[in-house]
């Protein structure tokens, strides 16, 4: 089975540009999570969805960040406009509801904003 | 607010030695997860601990959970170089699927 798929794997952009990160969760998983990892702040949850509905977006840094999940197999995280401090690795993870609820992580997108 | 603390943050060990990584958390939880991350890679699930007293072992790694003490340990037995990585514990918030991760422990095994 394919794991969580993210694209692009690397993104370099200039300050002020729009950036869109994409994620395909594992088929059958009903939870999807977006995380950001930096040296300074560690691994932070940005937002998570259950059955395509956003449940908790309290980790989204500011209005420049938005996330959508139009269907069970696709989600996007958009940053507009991007800033150098947004440079980080962004991970998508998915899980299936139940006692275990183990989260499986995608390979990540390394974003560099110049 | 749920806080998750790991110690030590950095650990250099000689091959063949034993050591323990500690994970403390601040609020009630009956589950805990351990992940491994190699440099430049994603997070790989190691253990899912689902109840007080849970113990799981995989090769040279053994994880345990004490929910009353709000403490989990990851024990490394007879370390080998392949175990060099950063290890994270993660605790779910009560009643939902949100995870808070610890700061991570960067483990380096020295030949």
């Amino acid at each position: 089975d394919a794991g969580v798929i993210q694209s692009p794997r690397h993104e370099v952009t200039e300050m002020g540009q729009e950036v869109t990160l994409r994620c395909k969760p594992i088929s059958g998983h009903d939870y999807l999570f977006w995380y950001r990892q930096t040296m300074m702040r560690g691994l932070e949850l940005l937002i998570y969805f259950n059955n395509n509905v956003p449940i908790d977006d309290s980790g989204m840094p500011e209005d420049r960040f938005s996330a959508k999940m139009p269907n069970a197999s696709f989600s996007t995280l958009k940053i507009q406009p991007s800033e150098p401090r947004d440079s980080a690795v962004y991970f998508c993870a998915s899980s299936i509801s139940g006692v275990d609820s183990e989260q499986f992580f995608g390979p990540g997108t390394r974003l560099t904003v110049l | 607010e749920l806080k998750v603390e790991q110690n030590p943050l950095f650990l250099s060990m000689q091959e063949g030695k034993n050591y323990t990584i500690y994970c403390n958390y601040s609020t009630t939880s009956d589950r805990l997860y351990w992940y491994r991350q190699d440099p430049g890679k994603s997070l790989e699930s190691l253990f899912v601990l689902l109840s007080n007293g849970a113990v799981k072992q995989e090769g040279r790694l053994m994880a345990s959970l004490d929910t009353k003490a709000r403490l989990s340990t990851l024990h490394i037995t007879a370390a080998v170089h392949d175990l060099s990585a950063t290890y994270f514990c993660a605790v779910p918030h009560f009643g939902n699927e949100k995870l808070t991760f610890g700061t991570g422990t960067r483990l380096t095994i020295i030949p």
Side-chain angles (χ1 to χ4, degrees), chain B residues 21-83:
Chain B
I21 298 170
Y22 297 89
C23 174
N24 292 89
Y25 53 98
S26 61
T27 64
T28 300
S29 179
D30 59 357
R31 284 179 287 148
L32 189 138
Y33 305 85
W34 282 98
Y35 287 86
R36 168 182 171 145
Q37 186 177 36
D38 292 303
K41 303 293 186 181
S42 185
L43 281 82
E44 173 191 353
S45 179
L46 290 176
F47 298 110
V48 178
L49 303 170
L50 297 177
S51 61
N52 185 41
V55 177
K56 290 199 172 177
Q57 183 163 5
E58 180 75 32
R60 301 174 187 275
L61 299 177
M62 183 173 71
S64 65
L65 178 61
D66 182 343
T67 58
K68 294 179 181 178
R70 300 176 184 170
L71 170 68
S72 179
T73 60
L74 180 65
H75 187 72
I76 303 147
T77 301
V80 293
H81 181 70
D82 287 352
L83 292 179

Side-chain angles (χ1 to χ4, degrees), chain A residues 36-56:
Chain A
R36 177 172 68 176
Q37 186 176 37
T38 61
M39 289 294 294
M40 292 297 295
R41 300 178 66 88
L43 198 61
E44 307 172 275
L45 176 67
L46 300 177
I47 185 171
Y48 79 94
F49 296 82
N50 179 219
N51 291 322
N52 314 336
V53 176
I55 302 300
D56 187 335

Side-chain angles (χ1 to χ4, degrees), chain A residues 37 58 100-103 106, chain B residues 33 35 37 42 45 97-98:
Chain A
Q37 186 176 37
S58 59
D100 189 319
S101 299
E102 183 180 4
Q103 292 184 22
Chain B
Y33 305 85
Y35 287 86
Q37 186 177 36
S42 185
S45 179
E97 300 300 313
K98 184 175 178 176

Side-chain angles (χ1 to χ4, degrees), chain A residues 93-106:
Chain A
S94 70
S95 70
I96 189 165
S97 55
V99 176
D100 189 319
S101 299
E102 183 180 4
Q103 292 184 22
F104 295 88
F105 281 73

Side-chain angles (χ1 to χ4, degrees), chain A residues 18-65:
Chain A
E18 177 179 298
V19 175
T20 300
L21 311 181
R22 298 172 176 80
C23 175
K24 177 179 169 57
I26 294 172
S27 177
H29 282 197
D30 55 347
Y31 282 90
L32 184 139
F33 306 82
W34 282 102
Y35 291 90
R36 177 172 68 176
Q37 186 176 37
T38 61
M39 289 294 294
M40 292 297 295
R41 300 178 66 88
L43 198 61
E44 307 172 275
L45 176 67
L46 300 177
I47 185 171
Y48 79 94
F49 296 82
N50 179 219
N51 291 322
N52 314 336
V53 176
I55 302 300
D56 187 335
D57 65 354
S58 59
M60 296 286 263
E62 48 198 271
D63 292 346
R64 298 184 298 106
F65 285 68

Side-chain angles (χ1 to χ4, degrees), chain B residues 77-91:
Chain B
T77 301
V80 293
H81 181 70
D82 287 352
L83 292 179
S84 295
T86 299
Y87 293 87
F88 293 92
C89 62
V91 180

